[in-house]
Amino acid sequence: MAYYWYGYNTIPYWLFFIRTLLLVADSKLAPKIPAVIVFGDSSVDSGNNNYIPTIARSNFKPYGRDFFGGSPTGRFCNGRLPPDIISEAVGLKPIVPAYLDPTYGISDFAYGVCFASAGTGYDNATSDVLGVIPLWKEVEYYKEYQVKLRAYLGDEKAKETISEALYLVSIGTNDFLENYYALPKRQKQFTVRQYEDFLIGSAWNFVNDLYVLGARKISLAGLPPMGCLPLQRTTNIMEDHACAEDKNRVAREYNLKLKTLVEKLNKNLPGLKLVYSDAYAIFLDIITRPSKYGFEMARVGCCGTGRFEMSFLCSPHFTCPDANKYVFWDAFHPSEKTNKIISYDLLKTSLAKFV
């Protein structure tokens, strides 16, 4: 039998060969993405608002009833959010923890961390509405995280993690629905198209800030069909609670501008791999053809009447028995099943180049 020298001992050639194959396999199966780093609003907030004085919270039942252990975590959903699902899909952990959650530390955050805050927006005035974390503060937390990461991994490994991590950014809906259309200040300053441009300018600055800090692989999500959110349908009385097409039109206009921004930034910033993640099309298809995806209800959410309830208005005693039949969990946020469908679609499209 052939033997091969391996250190100070000899081993059968066939065993050496198997070990070599396993090492090669491990290198191929190892995640291309070392960490998932998240910025944004309630669409991706995994619980940061639990630790600030705001009413924009969901760390109570019935939220989280389909999460691991049935525990409410501060996610505005019955289960997991897109970053959790995407993290697991790329070979990392099945959840992305909130940065402000004291039960997690840098050993957890080294593989995934969320800085998002429910109720926030690109516009600082949006975060003021409910007293949540503004986007600039999310970036400050990220800087703090980088210091901790370097201390934990060492400078070289931390630099690699920062540059190779996948950055998921989902933000903008609150700027329109919670701020522009709900309060008079911005309407007096801007037409809706001017406000779109104002937000695009803020998005430019934000991405540039991340780039300067070392981020290179960034997914910038567009707006959803926000006129079809149950709360928007509820207020659309004149059209028999149909989707508010004026809001959907604004979302489409904004998304086109965001796509143009992505193209410009990729040209202007060497080494940047910025992608526009289009959740609008798949989300609208789910809403307009729910049975295609196994849903029974798309007009209202699972929580309460499904027409206006979210956050503290959601009662654990008045929710649907099976959230998988509902496109929406509450009057503003999709169910876990919807999140999964959208996440898997993004993994096959905009995020495919990263995974």
Side-chain angles (χ1 to χ4, degrees):
M1 180 179 290
Y3 282 77
Y4 195 92
W5 283 96
Y6 191 80
Y8 291 107
N9 300 308
T10 56
I11 62 172
Y13 179 80
W14 62 268
L15 182 55
F16 172 80
F17 183 67
I18 290 174
R19 284 184 177 179
T20 303
L21 286 178
L22 288 173
L23 286 171
V24 172
D26 282 345
S27 66
K28 290 183 177 180
L29 291 174
K32 292 170 61 178
I33 298 168
V36 171
I37 300 175
V38 184
F39 296 88
D41 55 26
S42 61
S43 60
V44 290
D45 179 8
S46 54
N48 284 307
N49 279 18
N50 300 351
Y51 307 97
I52 62 172
T54 178
I55 61 169
R57 295 188 185 183
S58 59
N59 56 334
F60 45 82
K61 295 181 179 181
Y63 288 94
R65 74 177 195 188
D66 298 312
F67 194 76
F68 301 118
S71 302
T73 61
R75 290 167 171 81
F76 278 80
C77 187
N78 59 302
R80 292 191 296 164
L81 301 178
D84 302 314
I85 297 160
I86 291 168
S87 175
E88 184 176 37
V90 301
L92 297 172
K93 297 183 180 183
I95 63 169
V96 178
Y99 182 67
L100 296 184
D101 188 337
T103 62
Y104 295 95
I106 192 60
S107 61
D108 305 295
F109 299 146
Y111 303 99
V113 62
C114 173
F115 301 102
S117 177
T120 201
Y122 281 116
D123 186 351
N124 288 334
T126 301
S127 63
D128 292 339
V129 176
L130 294 174
V132 299
I133 303 168
L135 188 57
W136 67 264
K137 184 64 174 178
E138 292 187 25
V139 176
E140 290 301 308
Y141 283 137
Y142 173 59
K143 293 177 183 177
E144 183 180 276
Y145 160 78
Q146 286 196 351
V147 173
K148 295 178 182 178
L149 191 67
R150 291 188 185 98
Y152 179 68
L153 295 178
D155 288 345
E156 286 304 313
K157 185 64 175 177
K159 183 179 179 181
E160 180 183 345
T161 295
I162 289 166
S163 64
E164 294 298 320
L166 173 60
Y167 293 78
L168 301 177
V169 182
S170 179
I171 192 169
T173 305
N174 295 320
D175 290 309
F176 291 98
L177 300 185
E178 182 185 304
N179 186 356
Y180 186 83
Y181 286 113
L183 300 172
K185 181 180 178 180
R186 291 307 193 201
Q187 290 189 45
K188 291 179 180 178
Q189 294 176 304
F190 304 107
T191 65
V192 69
R193 287 180 177 81
Q194 289 172 337
Y195 191 61
E196 292 168 10
D197 294 336
F198 172 74
L199 297 179
I200 292 296
S202 297
W204 178 295
N205 293 334
F206 169 69
V207 172
N208 189 71
D209 287 345
L210 291 186
Y211 178 83
V212 170
L213 291 168
R216 291 297 181 269
K217 300 177 179 180
I218 306 172
S219 163
L220 206 56
L223 296 179
M226 55 189 184
C228 293
L229 302 181
L231 184 60
Q232 294 302 305
R233 286 190 178 215
T234 298
T235 58
N236 192 20
I237 300 172
M238 299 303 292
E239 296 181 307
D240 193 28
H241 305 294
C243 291
E245 181 52 31
D246 60 326
K247 305 294 195 312
N248 283 352
R249 183 174 62 252
V250 167
R252 292 193 298 271
E253 289 173 355
Y254 173 86
N255 288 346
L256 284 174
K257 294 177 180 179
L258 197 66
K259 289 175 71 174
T260 300
L261 171 69
V262 167
E263 294 170 1
K264 290 180 178 178
L265 284 169
N266 278 323
K267 290 179 181 177
N268 292 345
L269 300 177
L272 178 66
K273 296 178 180 178
L274 178 66
V275 298
Y276 165 74
S277 287
D278 177 18
Y280 185 100
I282 181 65
F283 204 169
L284 185 63
D285 195 49
I286 294 169
I287 292 167
T288 54
R289 299 193 293 174
S291 60
K292 173 185 173 183
Y293 300 90
F295 293 109
E296 296 179 6
M297 181 58 66
R299 295 176 65 90
V300 299
C302 170
C303 167
T305 64
R307 299 181 183 280
F308 64 89
E309 296 93 340
M310 67 178 112
S311 190
F312 288 100
L313 295 177
C314 278
S315 168
H317 307 295
F318 191 30
T319 56
C320 70
D322 185 1
N324 286 332
K325 295 179 180 179
Y326 285 70
V327 173
F328 293 94
W329 164 247
D330 62 18
F332 205 83
H333 303 97
S335 65
E336 181 185 53
K337 181 178 176 180
T338 303
N339 283 335
K340 286 181 178 179
I341 295 170
I342 293 173
S343 298
Y344 294 147
D345 183 74
L346 295 178
L347 284 162
K348 291 186 297 183
T349 53
S350 62
L351 300 181
K353 67 185 297 182
F354 298 137
V355 300

